[in-house]
């Protein structure tokens, strides 16, 4: 390895370590509030039982009674009388239980945990809001910046590991609807942007960048199409700024809008999958809402990012082949080369995980490790990077007519897709694993 | 091709080349995690042991 490349790698280390530390802190917070919430619920059950006349037992008796009831339920399940396997009993710590029985009051810490979960202030929110706050108040020293940028794609191994939850039949069921949604909304957005662009008398280059950016996959699609459609650098930066601004606003507002509209987790996942353009922002919003939302959003995202080569091919055909003037020689398009160059190959890892799960390689424990534990580690580091890179000065770059078109198209798509996915309903988008 | 378009094309090429490298790392990290889980080196308790 050359000295330059060593220096190149070293510059990422401080920022990566910062994201790992922030990620760990946020996961520790998440671990604590979820534990407190469980305690809170158990305390509520005990207080309710006491109010109904059940005497407050000593700790050993309380523990024995819970275990005895579980054994009874398990026996009924084994005999085939009860349908579902009972959950292991959740038992309070001795000091918490004794304090509850003595004071008849749920400790403040547990109430706090319950409130934090109610407000959805999980590790996702803490990292995104906290990161954004740090970046825009105290700022981050230049030493850390390269590493925080590199931390963002660490979300992707989480997406690949999540593949261990799916089976092909279910992936096809949700994926087919996802495919239809993605196609309808990509073309819908492209048509809308073209119509708006013509009305506002914009040049073809800007219309092309905005159509690709707001229709498919945000910044990546805008970058891929900009040279093909011969966009001016100023228009390109306006377009990227607008895409980032909408994505950031959506990330922080959609989970609350989803709750207000009473969206189920799978429906919310389908909504953000079609309306948020950036993978990291989409995954963050879905994780913020819940695990089932993430499972659905992930399928739609996989289908959507798989469309980047298709959009690039379309732009090459539209602008360089169909749009070539009579004097210019018509260019040949190497379709296979474009697909090979632009295809996001991490998707293949996701498909490999689905296939391994289909063949029964993964047990429930493996799925839990991948989808509920290690996924969080990768996401936490990535979300720290996302939060620390939300700089208000970048968002200010949104402007001009690109802003009008981009925001109108993205808002229209968000509203329309919310209506469509709510009409389609939970059953269609629900991901049932093996 | 004018200078501005060439710059954007370079930028696009660079981005996709970086994304390809990134994706290869993603596949390597994912594969290592899967192997560690399948061989039992990481279990359910590993994650929990990281926190107080």
């Amino acid at each position: 390895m050359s000295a330059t490349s060593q220096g190149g790698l070293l510059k990422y280390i401080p920022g990566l370590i910062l994201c790992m530390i922030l990620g760990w802190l946020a996961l520790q917070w998440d671990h604590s509030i979820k534990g407190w919430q469980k305690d809170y619920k158990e305390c509520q059950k005990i207080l309710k039982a006491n109010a109904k006349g059940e005497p407050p037992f000593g700790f050993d008796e309380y523990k024995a009674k819970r275990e005895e009831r579980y054994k009874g339920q398990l026996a009924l399940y084994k005999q085939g009388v009860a349908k579902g396997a009972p959950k292991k009993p959740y038992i309070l710590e001795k000091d918490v239980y004794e304090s509850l029985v003595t004071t008849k009051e749920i400790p403040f810490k547990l109430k706090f945990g319950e409130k934090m979960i109610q407000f959805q202030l999980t590790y996702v929110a803490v990292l995104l809001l906290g990161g954004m706050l740090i970046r825009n108040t105290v700022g981050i020293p230049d030493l850390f910046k390269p590493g925080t940028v590199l931390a963002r794609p660490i979300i992707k191994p989480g997406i690949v590991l999540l593949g261990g939850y799916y089976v092909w039949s279910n992936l096809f069921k949700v994926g087919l609807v996802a495919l239809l949604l993605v196609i309808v909304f990509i073309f819908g957005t492209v048509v809308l942007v073209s119509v708006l662009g013509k009305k506002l008398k914009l040049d073809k280059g800007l219309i092309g960048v905005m159509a690709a950016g707001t229709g498919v996959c945000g910044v990546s699609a805008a970058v891929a199409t900009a040279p093909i459609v011969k966009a001016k650098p100023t228009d390109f930066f306006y377009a990227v700024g607008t895409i980032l601004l909408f994505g950031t606003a959506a990330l922080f507002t959609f989970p609350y809008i989803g709750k207000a509209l009473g969206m189920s987790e799978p429906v919310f996942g389908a909504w953000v999958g079609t309306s948020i353009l950036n993978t990291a922002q989409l995954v963050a919003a879905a994780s913020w809402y819940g695990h089932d939302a993430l499972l659905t959003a992930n399928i739609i995202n996989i289908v959507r990012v798989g469309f980047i080569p298709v959009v690039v091919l379309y732009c090459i055909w539209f602008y360089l082949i169909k749009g070539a003037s009579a004097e210019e020689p018509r260019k040949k398009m190497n379709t296979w080369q474009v697909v090979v160059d632009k295809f996001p190959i991490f998707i293949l890892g996701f498909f490999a995980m689905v296939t391994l799960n289909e063949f029964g390689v993964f047990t429930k424990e493996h799925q839990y490790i991948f989808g509920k534990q290690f996924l969080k580690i990768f996401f936490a580091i990535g979300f720290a990077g996302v939060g620390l890179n939300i700089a208000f000065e970048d968002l200010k770059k949104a402007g001009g007519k690109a802003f009008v078109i981009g925001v109108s198209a993205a808002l229209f798509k968000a509203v329309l897709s919310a209506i469509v996915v709510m009409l389609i309903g939970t059953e269609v988008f629900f991901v049932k694993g093996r | 091709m004018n200078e501005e378009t060439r710059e954007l094309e370079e930028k696009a090429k660079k981005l996709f080349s970086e994304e390809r490298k990134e994706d290869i790392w993603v596949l390597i990290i994912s594969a290592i995690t899967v192997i560690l889980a399948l061989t039992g080196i990481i279990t359910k308790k590993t994650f929990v042991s990281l926190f107080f």
Side-chain angles (χ1 to χ4, degrees), chain A residues 36-336:
Chain A
W36 294 337
Q37 189 208 27
K38 273 187 186 172
D39 281 0
Y40 177 84
K41 289 196 168 160
E42 179 63 12
C43 286
Q44 268 190 327
K45 273 187 203 166
I46 295 167
L47 289 179
K48 217 173 173 182
N50 288 352
K52 278 185 184 169
E54 191 181 274
F57 307 112
F59 179 73
D60 292 334
E61 203 178 344
Y62 150 76
K63 197 176 162 187
K65 278 200 177 286
R66 284 280 186 277
E67 279 166 358
E68 199 179 309
R69 192 194 297 166
Y70 170 69
K71 278 179 191 162
Q73 287 169 338
L74 194 65
L76 287 175
Y77 171 68
K78 281 182 179 167
Q79 287 162 15
V81 180
K83 275 185 181 174
K87 278 187 179 174
K88 280 191 176 173
Y90 186 78
I91 294 167
L92 291 176
E93 293 284 329
K94 192 176 181 185
D95 57 336
V96 178
Y97 180 79
E98 283 174 349
S99 146
L100 179 77
V101 170
T102 324
T103 61
K104 305 266 181 245
E105 268 278 318
I106 300 177
F108 172 76
K109 188 172 77 174
L110 311 190
K111 286 181 189 167
F112 175 76
E114 166 69 9
K115 279 274 170 250
M116 290 300 102
I117 299 281
Q118 259 181 24
F119 291 130
Q120 293 175 273
L121 285 171
T122 56
Y123 78 102
V124 184
V126 168
L127 285 166
L128 296 170
L129 293 170
M132 191 173 70
L133 201 70
I134 293 171
R135 174 67 187 256
N136 295 288
T137 52
V138 289
I140 47 172
D142 288 343
L143 175 72
F144 294 103
K145 281 183 184 165
T148 60
V149 174
L150 193 75
R152 289 184 297 184
I154 294 178
I155 289 168
K156 286 182 184 173
I159 295 176
V160 172
L161 291 180
L162 205 56
Y165 258 86
Y166 303 89
V167 285
W168 279 107
S169 57
N170 206 254
L171 200 66
F172 281 135
K173 187 198 98 179
V174 182
L176 194 67
V177 185
L179 187 66
L180 288 174
L181 283 176
V182 167
I183 291 172
V184 166
F185 283 107
I186 284 176
F187 284 106
T189 314
V190 169
V191 170
L192 183 69
V193 169
S194 304
V195 171
L196 281 174
K198 274 183 189 165
K199 284 215 165 197
L200 290 169
K201 293 185 177 118
L202 298 184
D203 69 58
K204 271 187 172 181
L206 181 57
I207 297 174
V209 174
M210 289 311 293
T214 53
V216 198
C217 195
V219 179
S220 298
V223 171
T225 48
I228 301 165
V229 299
K230 298 188 173 67
K232 289 178 201 148
T234 44
D235 286 344
F236 168 74
F237 287 117
Y238 275 151
V240 170
T242 304
I243 291 162
L244 288 176
L245 180 67
F246 179 81
T248 308
L251 163 62
F252 290 111
T253 53
F254 279 20
Y256 294 98
I257 295 173
K259 284 272 176 213
L261 293 175
M263 284 185 183
S264 65
E265 287 191 19
V267 167
F268 182 80
W271 183 40
V272 293
T274 44
S275 52
I276 297 185
L277 306 158
N278 175 286
T279 298
Q281 290 170 337
L282 175 161
V283 167
S287 310
W288 197 334
Y289 210 73
H291 194 252
D292 285 345
L294 178 63
L295 288 175
T296 306
N298 200 30
I299 297 181
I300 298 182
N301 185 45
I302 294 281
V303 173
R304 197 172 50 88
V305 295
F307 262 83
I308 294 179
V310 180
V311 170
V312 176
L313 282 173
Y314 172 78
C315 288
I316 293 174
W317 173 77
F318 189 82
Y319 287 94
L320 298 185
I321 298 176
K322 183 175 169 274
S325 59
E327 301 84 53
E328 279 180 70
R330 289 202 165 213
K331 295 170 180 88
K332 277 191 179 173
M333 175 166 62
N334 186 345
T335 314
W336 177 244

Side-chain angles (χ1 to χ4, degrees), chain A residues 391-407:
Chain A
F392 292 153
E393 69 254 34
D394 288 345
L395 302 180
K396 278 184 201 157
K397 285 175 191 158
K401 289 178 179 172
F403 179 78
V404 178
I405 292 186
V407 170

Side-chain angles (χ1 to χ4, degrees), chain A residues 24 27-28 31 153 156-157 160-161 220 223-224 226-227 230-233 236-237 308 340-346 349 353 361-362 365-366 368-370 373-374 376-378, chain B residues 1-2 4-13 15-16 19-20 22-27 29-31 33-35 37-40 42-48 50-52:
Chain A
W24 180 82
L27 285 176
Q28 176 62 59
H31 185 74
K156 286 182 184 173
V160 172
L161 291 180
S220 298
V223 171
K230 298 188 173 67
K232 289 178 201 148
F236 168 74
F237 287 117
I308 294 179
V340 169
D341 285 348
K342 315 288 185 212
F343 188 76
I345 57 166
F346 81 94
M353 288 295 282
V361 174
F362 303 135
E365 180 168 345
H366 291 137
Y368 190 81
I369 294 168
F370 298 146
Q373 296 186 326
F374 274 72
K376 279 188 181 175
I377 295 178
F378 293 125
Chain B
M1 193 187 285
N2 66 31
E4 289 174 344
T5 309
R6 207 187 308 274
E7 265 177 40
L8 286 177
E9 191 169 289
E10 284 306 312
K11 197 178 165 69
K13 272 186 190 161
L15 179 98
F16 280 100
E19 282 199 351
R20 182 54 53 89
E22 215 176 84
D23 282 2
I24 290 167
W25 277 107
V26 167
L27 292 175
I29 294 170
S30 309
T33 313
V34 170
I35 291 165
L38 289 178
T39 50
I42 50 175
T43 63
K44 264 184 176 182
K45 286 175 187 165
T46 314
F47 180 78
V48 182
L50 298 174
F51 307 106
F52 301 117

